Amino acid sequence: MSKMIATREAYGKALVKYGKENENIVVLDADLSKSTKTAEFSTTFPERFFNMGIAEQNMLGTAAGLATSGKIPVASSFAMFAAGRAFEIVRNSICYPKLNVKICATHAGLTVGEDGASHQSIEDLAIMRSIPNLTVINPADAVSADKLLGEMISTYGPMYARFGRAAVPVIYSEDQKFEIGKSITVKEGEDITIIATGIMVNEALEAAKELEKIGLSIRVIDMHTIKPIDEEAIVKAAIETKLIVTAEEHSIIGGLGSAVAEVTAKEAPTFIQMIGVNDTFGESGKPNELLEKYGLTSENIYNTIMDSIEFDDEIEDEENGCGCSGEHSHDGGCGNGGGCGCK
Amino acid sequence: MYLKRRENFMKQSVKELKVTAGEIRKDIVKMVHASASGHPGGSLSAADILSALYFNVMNIDPENVKMEERDKFVLSKGHAAPVLYSSLARRGYFSTDELLTLRKIGSFLQGHPDMKGTPGVEMSTGSLGQGFSSSIGMALSAKLDNSPSRTFVLLGDGELNEGIVWEAAMSAAHYKLDNLTAVLDYNGLQIDGPNDKVMGVSPVDRKFESFGWNVIKIDGHNFEEILKAFDSAKSTKGIPTIIIAKTIKGKGVSFMENNAGWHGKAPSDEELEIALKELGGDK
């Protein structure tokens, strides 16, 4: 079992680390510093920490003002409030003048858990990626949270990153390199591509492991940057593999799935299965129960892929084969060990 | 070089400021007329305040727009962009010829201030309340750097309806931002009519006092009072200052004065002619 760390924990620690290296970093919070994990920064660098109270709009407006004076403000709150309550400030005061503000939102997605639908931000990626000039980042684990924060700080411009509340497995080694806008192919594969983001990267890897057992070769891409999205990796996947499945802890409307579809529709029309929260609100529950109930699991990724292959199979059978990418033998078998659904 | 330039700029006297404000008012009506859209009422009401800031109070240098430790001005009531653009142009940030391009396609004089396009604009504003928050960040930053830079922000009275204004007011007092001076352009009118009819804002002085601000009340068209208020704000330590400037919306143009209908409307050719005549004639 790999180590379990919440991305917000990694973010809080990394903030202190980068704060030591760069004294232009100032941190703002909206009375949630213990939850967002900016508290350690506040005690290490009290003069560079501003608690703005429960006032997310003013916090981000103030961050904009600090940025005009050459500071690198990192502002945190829950994703629901940073992206939701303060949307217009993010758009007009930060992104329109292209100011160097880093919005680090925690408690994103369903895994905020028991607080329920009012606190479960499943729209933030959609909202934030629609704003011009804004880079949108969604780290998958503790290592990527740390490394991507480092990239955010060393790259000029307005950026939004989302972190989770719940502990998630560490999937990367410390020497993994991260580049904003460049996805990571965490597992090579030839038949099907799963493009995942955030905590769903681990679920994608689990699903891929199971699918390999029945002979399918699965590519898994960690799309840690939702905007600008890595078009090259998406087009490559669309051309080289038969099916793309997207997986995100977010609404299926407007997030990663939509972003991938925007690219393929233009560059390489592809059948895409999107896994995310269907057009509905969440509810209170334990993070794992919620992920299970709303289908954000490796099992659902596995089943979705299996269903898609069977669907493919029926159509193609009437013509000349099974529709899988395997070589067909004389008796109609494809050499894929039956994993693709061919008989 | 730099010091010499600073010495070249003489602070305008009250007599000179009156002339400058008159020129700015003429610019405003001409600009709004030329673009056939814009906000003359709240621009005219703030002309004296901005004249005082740009031609007497602020430590700025149009030859060195990004000068370290310069004072900063944020037009939180961003729709009054014409008064800001005219002040900047007349202070030397760009040619006054540009003013008539206001709101036209390709112009750097956007309908609401855009810091990326217009020299001298310190913050992009337009949706109300946001500029006030940005000014908090600027003042905080100056405190962090032990910079003498002072931040000035102009608010409209209708703007006080926005909740973010009070979030900002609370935070400015909390962080003891005595390097921040807000000015309230208190003309009493917002788009739909008198403030107190649309959404009661009074008593503004007691509201800000209770939020921990130093409050100074003045006639916003009296330069002696305006300059004295800025002086007093500068010498006030430990708390931010708001200058509540009683003004007349549409000031200087008889048919625009105290008329909410001129909040966001352009004058016709005939109306322009009358307005310019009333403002002291035009060449």
Side-chain angles (χ1 to χ4, degrees), chain B residues 91-131:
Chain B
R91 185 68 174 76
Y93 283 86
F94 49 86
S95 163
T96 50
D97 294 345
E98 298 285 346
L99 294 176
L100 295 184
T101 69
L102 172 74
R103 290 181 168 237
K104 288 181 180 159
I105 193 85
S107 171
F108 66 75
L109 300 179
Q110 292 291 293
H112 293 81
D114 169 14
M115 65 182 283
K116 287 289 177 202
T118 312
V121 170
E122 296 283 1
M123 185 65 209
S124 301
T125 52
S127 46
L128 295 174
Q130 296 189 349

Side-chain angles (χ1 to χ4, degrees), chain A residues 26 47 49-52 55-58 61-62 64-66 68-69 71 88-89 92-93 96-99, chain B residues 72 110 112-116 122-124 127 130 133-134 136-138 140-141 144-145 164 167-168 171 175:
Chain A
V26 294
E47 72 289 355
F49 176 82
F50 302 106
N51 201 326
M52 301 306 290
E56 297 79 13
Q57 302 179 61
N58 185 48
T62 300
L66 283 158
T68 64
S69 309
K71 304 294 175 203
E88 197 205 359
I89 315 289
N92 283 343
S93 294
Y96 174 40
K98 210 173 179 178
L99 293 171
Chain B
K72 293 178 177 178
Q110 292 291 293
H112 293 81
D114 169 14
M115 65 182 283
K116 287 289 177 202
E122 296 283 1
M123 185 65 209
S124 301
S127 46
Q130 296 189 349
S133 282
S134 309
I136 307 292
M138 291 173 184
L140 267 182
S141 187
L144 265 178
D145 295 341
I164 191 174
E167 296 181 3
S171 65
Y175 284 108

Side-chain angles (χ1 to χ4, degrees), chain A residues 27-42:
Chain A
V27 174
L28 300 96
D29 207 301
D31 194 37
L32 289 170
S33 63
K34 291 183 189 74
S35 300
T36 61
K37 301 297 169 190
T38 61
E40 196 181 333
F41 187 97
S42 77

Side-chain angles (χ1 to χ4, degrees), chain B residues 23-178:
Chain B
E23 294 304 312
I24 289 173
R25 286 199 163 90
K26 281 188 268 184
D27 286 343
I28 291 167
V29 289
K30 284 195 274 187
M31 291 164 80
V32 177
H33 172 263
S35 71
S37 80
H39 297 81
S43 296
L44 291 167
S45 67
D48 298 314
I49 297 161
L50 264 75
S51 300
L53 280 169
Y54 277 94
F55 294 87
N56 184 294
V57 176
M58 287 200 295
N59 175 32
I60 48 173
D61 183 1
E63 299 285 322
N64 184 7
V65 178
K66 297 286 174 195
M67 177 177 79
E68 288 275 316
E69 304 187 339
R70 70 190 180 279
D71 290 344
K72 293 178 177 178
F73 173 74
V74 178
L75 184 68
S76 197
K77 46 173 279 181
H79 55 276
V83 70
L84 174 59
Y85 297 156
S86 168
S87 303
L88 289 170
R90 292 198 170 272
R91 185 68 174 76
Y93 283 86
F94 49 86
S95 163
T96 50
D97 294 345
E98 298 285 346
L99 294 176
L100 295 184
T101 69
L102 172 74
R103 290 181 168 237
K104 288 181 180 159
I105 193 85
S107 171
F108 66 75
L109 300 179
Q110 292 291 293
H112 293 81
D114 169 14
M115 65 182 283
K116 287 289 177 202
T118 312
V121 170
E122 296 283 1
M123 185 65 209
S124 301
T125 52
S127 46
L128 295 174
Q130 296 189 349
F132 196 15
S133 282
S134 309
S135 73
I136 307 292
M138 291 173 184
L140 267 182
S141 187
K143 287 267 176 199
L144 265 178
D145 295 341
N146 290 316
S147 162
S149 166
R150 298 185 60 77
T151 303
F152 298 89
V153 56
L154 185 75
L155 296 163
D157 44 13
E159 187 171 12
L160 302 185
N161 297 171
E162 290 281 4
I164 191 174
V165 164
W166 303 102
E167 296 181 3
M170 210 183 312
S171 65
H174 180 82
Y175 284 108
K176 303 181 169 54
L177 300 180
D178 51 15

